[in-house]
Amino acid sequence: MTIEKHIEIQHTVSVSISCEDIAEAIAEDPESSHSVLRGINNCGAFLKAVPNARIAALNTAQRETIRHFLQQQAARF
């Protein structure tokens, strides 16, 4: 007689993903609505995660460049 048994194994792994990896993944298919929305969501999550202290550490010109870029992009939407 043969008895079959299913065994499930779980293993935790760590994966390092760089900002460059994320940018490449977002750029893979910008014509797909799903990819566009996912990319925008990821950008929003990243922006919200930037600590206020890190923003305050930027110089005025850097903050102005970022603000100008974000305003331009917001106008597109």
Side-chain angles (χ1 to χ4, degrees):
M1 170 169 38
T2 302
I3 299 174
E4 293 184 19
K5 176 71 176 165
H6 176 75
I7 299 173
E8 183 176 318
I9 298 173
Q10 293 183 352
H11 184 72
T12 302
V13 295
S14 292
V15 179
S16 294
I17 301 173
S18 69
C19 287
E20 291 80 15
D21 293 333
I22 294 169
E24 287 178 22
I26 291 170
E28 283 179 6
D29 187 8
E31 298 300 320
S32 161
S33 291
H34 176 73
S35 293
V36 169
L37 293 173
R38 187 177 68 189
I40 291 170
N41 185 59
N42 290 337
C43 289
F46 178 81
L47 290 172
K48 285 196 259 184
V50 175
N52 288 342
R54 181 67 62 199
I55 295 169
L58 298 172
N59 65 44
T60 303
Q62 290 169 327
R63 285 194 306 275
E64 180 64 22
T65 299
I66 294 166
R67 183 187 66 76
H68 182 68
F69 170 76
L70 292 174
Q71 284 179 330
Q72 286 178 326
Q73 297 312 305
R76 292 179 59 211
F77 289 88

